[in-house]
Amino acid sequence: METMAHLGVGIGWRPEIADAVERLPGLDWVEVVAENICPGHLPASLLRLRERGVRVVPHGVSLGLGGAERPDAQKLAALGERAVALGAPLVTEHIAFVRTASPALEAGHLLPVQRTRDALDVLCENVRIAQDALPVPLALENIAALIPWPGEELTEARFLTELVERTGVRLLIDVANLHTNRVNRGEDPFAVLDAIPLEALAYVHVAGGVERGGVWHDTHAHPVPAVVLDILAELRNRVEPAGVLLERDDDFPAEAELAGELAAIRGVVGPAGPSPARPSTSPGLRPGGTSTRGSAPDPAPRTPAPLEGEEPAGPDQRARIRVGLEQGALLSALVAGTPVPEGFDRQRVRVQARALAAKRAGVVAKLAPELPGILGGEDPYREAFLAYARNRPMTAGYRRDALDFAEHLLIQDLPADPAARRRLTSWWRERVGARPPRRIVRWARTLVGRAA
C-alpha cells in the first residue's frame, strides 16, 4: 500500500465557522461534508484556503456502503466530482448503512453494519464498486454506535482488518468513535488499535461528546474530552498518522477555543516518531499494548456457496437479501414505530429512535428556518415535529421531509392560529414545485380559502 500523503493537523470546515477557520494559526488542511458543496460554486472561503495551499478533503455521509443495495451511481459520480473540483488527494466515507430499499426508509444518520460474514461480503463488494468509480483513493471511517447487533460473528478489529485485506481500502480511524463504542458497547479501543492494519491508516478524526444516563452521545458539539485524547495518544504510540482532524458540527465555540483544541491535538501527535515499545498504562493492556481481555476467536472466513450456474465472484445475492431484511427491520423500528426485532436491547433502540427524531427535527429547522417562526418558536415547532415524526419515517431526504411536515400540519388544520396557517400554506405552496398534481393544487386552494 502506497504511503499516504502528509496532511498535518486540520479542522472540519463548516459555513458557520468559515471565517474563524481561515484565521486559525498553523492550519494544514480542512475536511468538508461532500454533500454540502457544489463543485461549480465552491464557497469563497474554501477557494481562499486552497489558494493558500490548504488541502481540502471531501467527506461523504450519504453513500451507505454498508447497506444491502449496491452503491448509487449518481452519488458516486457526485462524490468523485467534488474530489476533482477540490484537487483532493482522497475521499472518505463511512462503514455504515443509511437507508433501506424494502421498506424504503431513510435514517438521516449513520447506522452500524452487522459484523457478520454476510454483511462483510456485501460491504466488500460495495467498496470495490465505489473504488472503481472514484477518481482518487477511498478511505472508510469506523462509526460510533449505540446499538449492538445480536449474533455478531466478528470483532470490530477483525471486521476492519478483513475489509482492508479484501479491498485494499484505507481506514479513517475516529478515536472519539472508539471511545463511544467503549462506553456504549463495552469494546476495548486499545484492542482495536492493536489488531487493525495501521499501515492502511489515511488519517484520524477527533471529536467531543457527552455522557447521559450511561450512554455516550457522539455529538460533535462538545469539547474533546481527555479520554479521547488518551486514545489518540495510544494510536500515536503505534503509528505516526498522516493527518489528524478536529470535527465540530454544532454549538460552535469561540475561535480561541477551537484554536486551543487544535493546539491540544498537536501536543498529542507532536513531531516525534512513534514509540510502539513504550509500556502502556491503559487499563486492560499488557506492556506494549497487547490486550489482556479474553475474547473468543473470530470464526474462520467462509465464502458463500454460489447458486447453481452463478459466478462465484461477489457476495451471494441471498446474502444481500438477508442483510437487507435485518437492516430494514431495525430501521423500521427506529423511524416508523414498528416492533423492535428480537435480540436487540429495547431500551437502547428507544434511545436511538428519540435521538434520530431529535436530529431530524434539528436538520429540518436548519433547512427550513421559517418553520419555527411560523409555529411560534423553537419549542412549539419541536413538539409538533416530534409528534409528526413518531410514526412517519423520512423517505426522500430532509428537504422533502420539511414539506411533508408542513403538509401534515395543514391537513389537520394546524397551526390553530389562522394567520399562521395562511403563512404555512404560502410557504408550502412556494416550495412544493412548479407544477404539483392537480389534486394537491385543489387541496391547497381549499386550505387558503379555509384559512382566510
CSV table of all heavy atoms in Angstrom, one decimal, residues 281-317:
chain,number,residue,atom,x,y,z
A,281,THR,N,0.0,2.2,29.9
A,281,THR,CA,-0.6,2.2,31.2
A,281,THR,C,-2.1,2.2,31.1
A,281,THR,O,-2.8,2.4,32.0
A,281,THR,CB,-0.3,3.5,31.9
A,281,THR,OG1,-0.6,4.6,31.1
A,281,THR,CG2,1.2,3.6,32.2
A,282,SER,N,-2.6,1.9,29.9
A,282,SER,CA,-4.0,1.9,29.7
A,282,SER,C,-4.6,0.6,30.3
A,282,SER,O,-4.0,-0.5,30.3
A,282,SER,CB,-4.4,1.9,28.2
A,282,SER,OG,-3.8,3.0,27.6
A,283,PRO,N,-5.8,0.7,30.9
A,283,PRO,CA,-6.4,-0.4,31.5
A,283,PRO,C,-6.7,-1.5,30.5
A,283,PRO,O,-7.1,-1.3,29.4
A,283,PRO,CB,-7.8,0.1,32.1
A,283,PRO,CG,-8.0,1.4,31.3
A,283,PRO,CD,-6.7,1.9,30.9
A,284,GLY,N,-6.5,-2.8,30.9
A,284,GLY,CA,-6.7,-3.9,30.1
A,284,GLY,C,-5.6,-4.2,29.1
A,284,GLY,O,-5.8,-5.0,28.2
A,285,LEU,N,-4.5,-3.6,29.2
A,285,LEU,CA,-3.4,-3.8,28.3
A,285,LEU,C,-2.1,-4.3,29.0
A,285,LEU,O,-1.8,-3.8,30.1
A,285,LEU,CB,-3.0,-2.5,27.5
A,285,LEU,CG,-4.1,-1.9,26.6
A,285,LEU,CD1,-3.5,-0.7,25.9
A,285,LEU,CD2,-4.6,-3.0,25.6
A,286,ARG,N,-1.4,-5.2,28.4
A,286,ARG,CA,-0.1,-5.5,28.9
A,286,ARG,C,0.9,-4.5,28.3
A,286,ARG,O,0.6,-3.7,27.4
A,286,ARG,CB,0.3,-6.9,28.3
A,286,ARG,CG,-0.6,-8.0,28.8
A,286,ARG,CD,0.0,-9.4,28.3
A,286,ARG,NE,-0.9,-10.5,28.6
A,286,ARG,CZ,-1.7,-11.0,27.8
A,286,ARG,NH1,-1.8,-10.5,26.5
A,286,ARG,NH2,-2.5,-12.0,28.1
A,287,PRO,N,2.1,-4.4,28.9
A,287,PRO,CA,3.1,-3.5,28.3
A,287,PRO,C,3.3,-3.9,26.8
A,287,PRO,O,3.3,-5.0,26.4
A,287,PRO,CB,4.4,-3.9,29.1
A,287,PRO,CG,3.9,-4.3,30.4
A,287,PRO,CD,2.6,-5.0,30.1
A,288,GLY,N,3.4,-2.8,26.0
A,288,GLY,CA,3.5,-3.0,24.5
A,288,GLY,C,2.1,-2.9,23.9
A,288,GLY,O,2.0,-3.0,22.6
A,289,GLY,N,1.0,-2.9,24.7
A,289,GLY,CA,-0.3,-2.7,24.0
A,289,GLY,C,-1.1,-3.9,23.8
A,289,GLY,O,-2.1,-3.9,23.2
A,290,THR,N,-0.6,-5.1,24.2
A,290,THR,CA,-1.4,-6.4,24.0
A,290,THR,C,-2.5,-6.4,24.9
A,290,THR,O,-2.4,-6.3,26.1
A,290,THR,CB,-0.5,-7.6,24.1
A,290,THR,OG1,0.7,-7.4,23.3
A,290,THR,CG2,-1.2,-8.9,23.8
A,291,SER,N,-3.7,-6.8,24.4
A,291,SER,CA,-4.9,-6.8,25.3
A,291,SER,C,-4.8,-8.0,26.2
A,291,SER,O,-4.4,-9.1,25.8
A,291,SER,CB,-6.1,-6.9,24.4
A,291,SER,OG,-7.3,-7.0,25.2
A,292,THR,N,-5.2,-7.7,27.5
A,292,THR,CA,-5.3,-8.8,28.4
A,292,THR,C,-6.7,-9.3,28.6
A,292,THR,O,-7.0,-10.3,29.3
A,292,THR,CB,-4.9,-8.3,29.8
A,292,THR,OG1,-5.8,-7.2,30.2
A,292,THR,CG2,-3.5,-7.8,29.8
A,293,ARG,N,-7.7,-8.8,27.8
A,293,ARG,CA,-9.1,-9.2,28.0
A,293,ARG,C,-9.3,-10.4,27.1
A,293,ARG,O,-9.0,-10.4,25.9
A,293,ARG,CB,-10.0,-8.0,27.5
A,293,ARG,CG,-9.8,-6.8,28.4
A,293,ARG,CD,-10.7,-5.7,28.1
A,293,ARG,NE,-10.4,-4.5,28.8
A,293,ARG,CZ,-11.1,-3.4,28.8
A,293,ARG,NH1,-12.2,-3.3,28.1
A,293,ARG,NH2,-10.8,-2.4,29.6
A,294,GLY,N,-9.9,-11.4,27.7
A,294,GLY,CA,-10.2,-12.6,27.0
A,294,GLY,C,-11.3,-12.4,25.9
A,294,GLY,O,-12.2,-11.6,26.2
A,295,SER,N,-11.2,-13.0,24.8
A,295,SER,CA,-12.2,-12.9,23.8
A,295,SER,C,-12.2,-14.2,22.9
A,295,SER,O,-11.1,-14.7,22.7
A,295,SER,CB,-12.0,-11.7,22.9
A,295,SER,OG,-10.8,-11.7,22.3
A,296,ALA,N,-13.3,-14.6,22.5
A,296,ALA,CA,-13.4,-15.8,21.7
A,296,ALA,C,-12.8,-15.4,20.3
A,296,ALA,O,-13.0,-14.3,19.8
A,296,ALA,CB,-14.8,-16.2,21.5
A,297,PRO,N,-12.1,-16.4,19.7
A,297,PRO,CA,-11.5,-16.1,18.4
A,297,PRO,C,-12.6,-15.9,17.3
A,297,PRO,O,-13.7,-16.5,17.4
A,297,PRO,CB,-10.7,-17.3,18.1
A,297,PRO,CG,-11.3,-18.4,19.0
A,297,PRO,CD,-11.8,-17.7,20.2
A,298,ASP,N,-12.3,-15.1,16.4
A,298,ASP,CA,-13.3,-15.0,15.3
A,298,ASP,C,-13.4,-16.2,14.5
A,298,ASP,O,-12.3,-16.9,14.3
A,298,ASP,CB,-12.9,-13.8,14.3
A,298,ASP,CG,-13.0,-12.5,15.0
A,298,ASP,OD1,-14.0,-12.3,15.7
A,298,ASP,OD2,-12.2,-11.6,14.7
A,299,PRO,N,-14.5,-16.6,14.0
A,299,PRO,CA,-14.6,-17.8,13.2
A,299,PRO,C,-13.8,-17.6,11.9
A,299,PRO,O,-13.6,-16.5,11.4
A,299,PRO,CB,-16.1,-17.9,12.9
A,299,PRO,CG,-16.7,-16.5,13.1
A,299,PRO,CD,-15.8,-15.9,14.1
A,300,ALA,N,-13.4,-18.7,11.3
A,300,ALA,CA,-12.6,-18.7,10.1
A,300,ALA,C,-13.5,-18.1,9.0
A,300,ALA,O,-14.7,-18.3,8.9
A,300,ALA,CB,-12.2,-20.1,9.7
A,301,PRO,N,-12.8,-17.4,8.0
A,301,PRO,CA,-13.6,-16.9,6.9
A,301,PRO,C,-14.2,-17.9,6.1
A,301,PRO,O,-13.8,-19.1,6.0
A,301,PRO,CB,-12.5,-16.2,6.1
A,301,PRO,CG,-11.3,-15.9,7.0
A,301,PRO,CD,-11.4,-17.1,8.0
A,302,ARG,N,-15.4,-17.6,5.6
A,302,ARG,CA,-16.1,-18.5,4.7
A,302,ARG,C,-16.5,-17.8,3.5
A,302,ARG,O,-16.7,-16.6,3.5
A,302,ARG,CB,-17.3,-19.1,5.4
A,302,ARG,CG,-18.4,-18.1,5.7
A,302,ARG,CD,-19.7,-18.8,6.1
A,302,ARG,NE,-20.7,-17.9,6.5
A,302,ARG,CZ,-21.5,-17.2,5.6
A,302,ARG,NH1,-21.3,-17.4,4.3
A,302,ARG,NH2,-22.4,-16.4,6.1
A,303,THR,N,-16.7,-18.5,2.4
A,303,THR,CA,-17.2,-17.9,1.2
A,303,THR,C,-18.6,-18.5,0.9
A,303,THR,O,-18.7,-19.7,0.9
A,303,THR,CB,-16.3,-18.2,0.0
A,303,THR,OG1,-15.0,-17.7,0.3
A,303,THR,CG2,-16.8,-17.6,-1.3
A,304,PRO,N,-19.6,-17.7,0.7
A,304,PRO,CA,-20.9,-18.3,0.5
A,304,PRO,C,-21.0,-19.1,-0.8
A,304,PRO,O,-20.4,-18.7,-1.8
A,304,PRO,CB,-21.8,-17.0,0.3
A,304,PRO,CG,-21.0,-15.9,0.9
A,304,PRO,CD,-19.6,-16.2,0.7
A,305,ALA,N,-21.6,-20.2,-0.7
A,305,ALA,CA,-21.7,-21.1,-1.8
A,305,ALA,C,-22.6,-20.5,-2.9
A,305,ALA,O,-23.7,-20.1,-2.6
A,305,ALA,CB,-22.3,-22.5,-1.4
A,306,PRO,N,-22.1,-20.4,-4.2
A,306,PRO,CA,-23.0,-19.8,-5.2
A,306,PRO,C,-24.1,-20.7,-5.6
A,306,PRO,O,-24.1,-21.9,-5.5
A,306,PRO,CB,-22.0,-19.6,-6.4
A,306,PRO,CG,-21.0,-20.7,-6.1
A,306,PRO,CD,-20.8,-20.8,-4.6
A,307,LEU,N,-25.2,-20.1,-6.0
A,307,LEU,CA,-26.3,-20.8,-6.6
A,307,LEU,C,-25.8,-21.5,-7.9
A,307,LEU,O,-24.9,-21.1,-8.5
A,307,LEU,CB,-27.5,-19.9,-6.9
A,307,LEU,CG,-28.1,-19.2,-5.7
A,307,LEU,CD1,-29.1,-18.2,-6.2
A,307,LEU,CD2,-28.8,-20.2,-4.8
A,308,GLU,N,-26.5,-22.5,-8.3
A,308,GLU,CA,-26.2,-23.3,-9.5
A,308,GLU,C,-26.2,-22.4,-10.7
A,308,GLU,O,-27.1,-21.7,-10.9
A,308,GLU,CB,-27.1,-24.5,-9.7
A,308,GLU,CG,-26.8,-25.4,-10.8
A,308,GLU,CD,-27.7,-26.6,-10.9
A,308,GLU,OE1,-28.5,-26.7,-10.0
A,308,GLU,OE2,-27.6,-27.3,-11.9
A,309,GLY,N,-25.1,-22.4,-11.4
A,309,GLY,CA,-25.0,-21.5,-12.6
A,309,GLY,C,-24.5,-20.1,-12.3
A,309,GLY,O,-24.2,-19.4,-13.3
A,310,GLU,N,-24.3,-19.7,-11.1
A,310,GLU,CA,-23.9,-18.4,-10.7
A,310,GLU,C,-22.4,-18.3,-10.8
A,310,GLU,O,-21.7,-19.3,-10.6
A,310,GLU,CB,-24.3,-18.0,-9.3
A,310,GLU,CG,-25.8,-17.5,-9.2
A,310,GLU,CD,-26.0,-17.0,-7.8
A,310,GLU,OE1,-25.4,-17.4,-6.9
A,310,GLU,OE2,-26.9,-16.1,-7.7
A,311,GLU,N,-21.9,-17.1,-11.1
A,311,GLU,CA,-20.5,-16.8,-11.0
A,311,GLU,C,-20.1,-16.7,-9.5
A,311,GLU,O,-20.9,-16.1,-8.7
A,311,GLU,CB,-20.1,-15.5,-11.7
A,311,GLU,CG,-20.3,-15.6,-13.2
A,311,GLU,CD,-19.3,-16.5,-13.8
A,311,GLU,OE1,-18.2,-16.6,-13.3
A,311,GLU,OE2,-19.6,-17.1,-14.8
A,312,PRO,N,-19.0,-17.2,-9.0
A,312,PRO,CA,-18.7,-17.2,-7.6
A,312,PRO,C,-18.2,-15.8,-7.1
A,312,PRO,O,-18.2,-15.5,-5.9
A,312,PRO,CB,-17.5,-18.1,-7.5
A,312,PRO,CG,-16.9,-18.2,-8.8
A,312,PRO,CD,-18.0,-18.0,-9.8
A,313,ALA,N,-17.9,-14.8,-8.0
A,313,ALA,CA,-17.4,-13.5,-7.6
A,313,ALA,C,-18.5,-12.7,-7.0
A,313,ALA,O,-19.6,-12.7,-7.4
A,313,ALA,CB,-16.9,-12.7,-8.8
A,314,GLY,N,-18.1,-12.0,-5.9
A,314,GLY,CA,-19.1,-11.1,-5.2
A,314,GLY,C,-19.9,-11.9,-4.3
A,314,GLY,O,-20.0,-13.1,-4.2
A,315,PRO,N,-20.7,-11.2,-3.4
A,315,PRO,CA,-21.5,-11.9,-2.4
A,315,PRO,C,-22.7,-12.6,-3.1
A,315,PRO,O,-23.2,-12.1,-4.1
A,315,PRO,CB,-22.0,-10.8,-1.5
A,315,PRO,CG,-21.9,-9.5,-2.4
A,315,PRO,CD,-20.8,-9.8,-3.3
A,316,ASP,N,-23.1,-13.7,-2.5
A,316,ASP,CA,-24.3,-14.3,-2.9
A,316,ASP,C,-25.5,-13.4,-2.8
A,316,ASP,O,-25.6,-12.6,-1.8
A,316,ASP,CB,-24.5,-15.5,-1.9
A,316,ASP,CG,-25.6,-16.5,-2.4
A,316,ASP,OD1,-26.6,-16.0,-2.9
A,316,ASP,OD2,-25.5,-17.7,-2.1
A,317,GLN,N,-26.3,-13.3,-3.8
A,317,GLN,CA,-27.5,-12.4,-3.7
A,317,GLN,C,-28.4,-12.7,-2.5
A,317,GLN,O,-29.0,-11.8,-1.9
A,317,GLN,CB,-28.3,-12.5,-5.0
A,317,GLN,CG,-29.5,-11.6,-5.1
A,317,GLN,CD,-29.1,-10.1,-5.0
A,317,GLN,OE1,-28.0,-9.8,-5.4
A,317,GLN,NE2,-30.0,-9.2,-4.6
